[in-house]
């Protein structure tokens, strides 16, 4: 427990430092190797030179191969389909997300993970495959095991900071033991009303943004310290969503004043960025105070302006589920993939358990890259960030 408390205290220091720094002015670099609009690669020594070399190599690859390196695939049932394995062998996938339906036993999961990793090893330019799931704790756990405490119960624990660090370390051990290297957690939403959308399933640490900041930072610091990448979600916050306002099921608009959005919703993300979180997932809700016309994950104002510009995040951005019903007004998979890429999302989460979804997203990105609708330099930057993340994980 002393180890967990030590890690947790380190996370608190980072969180407090991040909050104390205040807003980052637009246009001011947040880190030595990254600047808004041209973010660097987080956590990689010599990142600018390595990124430049990677981008030069990308010019030799066709658009379809480049596009695939921004796609996270999914599949139904316990066995990876031949099409998924083939896409991975051809280097046309950044990763795979796993759900409960993909797991029947530890032995079966180990066999599936081994198949996926072998396919990645057979790619023309082998890279570590991002193998991920949602292991938040409490009710949201795709794999049996830690963390058993939900975020709410963590916040109510006798020593919340130690409990958060223990949960993060537990999540890392559970995933690493299964051969996974990326967790789509922690949730950093600060809930407004008890029993609302995010509080009802116990997915929020609390109503105090400072508390959510320190506990979320303790979780991700402990988890990443054990080699499993963390994802802060759902930027810029779903804490104001009423019960039943679920972006998986319908379009959601959150009319939160800008001052409140920044002081409550975004505050934990500033701490998470200071703590070195590797990924940030964007919400599919619409925030009129920032952009009345697009969900956060389709908004360059929110992704490039708020997340990268104001908060200085230079890691990997990842969408929420691309099949979410909140996106119904924005067309099919191809249209959604293009909108997400244009907004600045690096990884596209094709989590419908239908491999064709990933193929459609890949084809749409490749076509837009070939005909100039997507800027090739920005595209190469996104691929380089994802590649750097993959290269840093086991």
């Amino acid at each position: 427990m002393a180890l967990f408390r030590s890690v947790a205290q380190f996370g608190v220091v980072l969180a407090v430092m991040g909050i104390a720094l205040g807003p980052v002015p637009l246009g001011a670099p947040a880190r030595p190797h990254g600047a808004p609009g041209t973010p660097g690669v987080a956590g990689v020594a010599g990142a600018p030179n390595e990124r430049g070399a990677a981008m030069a190599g990308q010019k030799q690859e066709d658009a379809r191969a480049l596009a695939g390196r921004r796609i996270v695939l999914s599949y139904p049932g316990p066995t990876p389909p031949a099409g998924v394995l083939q896409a991975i062998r051809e280097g046309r996938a950044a990763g795979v997300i796993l759900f409960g339906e993909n797991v029947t036993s530890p032995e079966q999961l180990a066999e599936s993970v081994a198949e996926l990793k072998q396919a990645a090893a057979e790619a023309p330019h082998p890279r570590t495959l991002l193998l991920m799931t949602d292991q938040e704790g409490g009710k949201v756990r795709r794999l049996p095991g830690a963390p058993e405490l939900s975020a709410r119960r963590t916040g109510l624990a006798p020593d919340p900071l130690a409990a958060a660090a223990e949960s993060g370390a537990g999540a890392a051990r559970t995933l690493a033991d299964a051969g996974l290297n990326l967790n789509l957690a922690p949730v950093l939403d600060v809930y407004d009303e008890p029993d609302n959308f995010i509080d009802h399933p116990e997915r929020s640490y609390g109503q105090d943004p400072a508390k959510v900041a320190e506990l979320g930072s303790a979780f991700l610091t402990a988890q990443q310290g054990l080699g499993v990448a963390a994802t802060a979600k759902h930027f810029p916050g779903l804490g104001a969503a009423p019960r039943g306002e679920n972006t998986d099921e319908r379009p959601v608009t959150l009319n939160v004043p800008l001052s409140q959005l920044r002081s409550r919703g975004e505050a934990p993300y500033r701490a998470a960025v200071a703590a070195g979180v590797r990924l940030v997932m964007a919400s599919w809700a619409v925030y009129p105070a920032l952009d009345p016309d697009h969900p956060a994950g389709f908004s360059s104002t929110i992704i490039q302006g708020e997340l990268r510009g104001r908060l200085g995040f230079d890691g990997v951005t990842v969408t929420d589920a691309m099949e979410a019903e909140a996106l119904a007004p924005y067309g099919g998979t191809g249209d959604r993939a293009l909108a997400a890429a244009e907004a600045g999302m690096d990884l596209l989460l094709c989590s419908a358990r239908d491999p064709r979804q990933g193929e459609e997203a890949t084809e749409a990105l490749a076509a837009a890259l070939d005909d100039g609708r997507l800027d090739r330099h920005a595209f190469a930057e996104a691929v380089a960030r994802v590649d750097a993340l993959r290269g840093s994980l086991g």
Side-chain angles (χ1 to χ4, degrees):
M1 184 63 72
L3 173 61
F4 291 136
R5 187 172 288 106
S6 170
V7 173
Q9 289 169 348
F10 178 63
V12 174
V13 172
L14 289 173
V16 171
M17 287 175 60
I19 294 171
L21 286 173
V24 178
L26 281 172
R31 299 190 181 184
H33 61 281
T38 55
V41 181
V44 181
N49 289 338
E50 292 177 13
R51 187 175 71 241
M55 288 170 61
Q58 289 168 12
K59 292 178 182 178
Q60 307 304 317
E61 295 189 58
D62 66 25
R64 195 160 174 263
L66 283 175
R69 282 157 63 187
R70 297 177 65 172
I71 302 297
V72 176
L73 301 174
S74 63
Y75 58 88
T79 304
V84 167
L85 295 174
Q86 185 62 24
I88 295 170
R89 286 191 192 97
E90 294 176 1
R92 294 185 293 102
V96 175
I97 179 172
L98 297 174
F99 293 90
E101 70 179 82
N102 302 126
V103 182
T104 59
S105 70
E107 295 76 19
Q108 170 273 320
L109 177 59
E111 185 176 333
S112 295
V113 168
E115 277 192 90
L116 294 167
K117 289 184 174 180
Q118 180 59 38
E122 294 171 6
H125 304 285
R127 296 178 178 86
T128 298
L129 194 65
L130 299 176
L131 293 170
M132 65 192 73
T133 194
D134 295 278
Q135 195 77 3
E136 298 174 11
K139 299 176 183 178
V140 184
R141 287 181 292 166
R142 310 303 187 194
L143 304 180
E148 295 185 2
L149 288 183
S150 66
R152 182 204 281 173
R153 290 178 60 199
T154 299
L156 296 174
D159 187 344
L161 210 52
E166 186 170 1
S167 290
R173 287 192 293 267
T174 297
L175 268 62
D177 286 349
L180 279 60
N181 54 19
L182 194 159
N183 192 7
L184 296 171
V187 170
L188 297 186
D189 299 326
V190 184
Y191 76 89
D192 287 357
E193 299 293 333
D195 205 39
N196 73 354
F197 167 70
I198 206 69
D199 178 54
H200 179 74
E202 303 187 3
R203 297 175 71 195
S204 172
Y205 289 113
Q207 292 181 285
D208 179 358
K211 179 179 182 179
V212 174
E214 69 173 5
L215 297 186
S217 294
F219 181 106
L220 73 89
T221 299
Q223 178 182 283
Q224 293 189 158
L226 294 177
V228 175
T231 307
K233 63 184 185 185
H234 309 81
F235 187 82
L238 286 173
R243 177 87 173 271
E245 290 297 292
N246 184 349
T247 57
D248 286 344
E249 300 172 355
R250 63 180 61 86
V252 174
T253 296
L254 299 180
N255 286 298
V256 180
L258 183 59
S259 60
Q260 180 180 330
L261 192 60
R262 287 176 170 168
S263 64
R264 287 181 60 80
E266 292 184 7
Y269 292 91
R270 182 178 295 283
V273 170
V277 70
R278 304 301 304 278
L279 302 95
V280 171
M281 176 183 287
S283 159
W284 285 138
V286 175
Y287 301 82
L290 287 168
D291 185 339
D293 301 318
H294 305 94
F298 286 172
S299 171
S300 60
T301 299
I302 293 175
I303 303 305
Q304 301 290 3
E306 289 291 299
L307 180 58
R308 295 214 186 275
R310 274 193 86 248
L311 302 189
F313 180 64
D314 59 6
V316 172
T317 53
V318 58
T319 70
D320 204 340
M322 291 292 290
E323 67 276 9
E325 287 299 316
L327 306 184
Y330 300 91
T333 296
D335 296 317
R336 298 176 189 189
L338 183 55
E342 288 176 328
M345 303 307 299
D346 298 328
L347 276 175
L348 278 58
L349 196 61
C350 297
S351 51
R353 279 80 114 192
D354 180 355
R356 292 174 298 179
Q357 183 190 28
E359 288 292 333
E360 289 176 23
T362 298
E363 295 296 341
L365 291 185
L369 186 59
D370 277 338
D371 67 21
R373 283 175 291 162
L374 288 176
D375 178 77
R376 183 165 287 272
H377 180 79
F379 202 102
E381 284 272 349
V383 173
R385 282 189 292 271
V386 173
D387 284 352
L389 174 65
R390 295 172 68 180
S392 71
L393 299 174

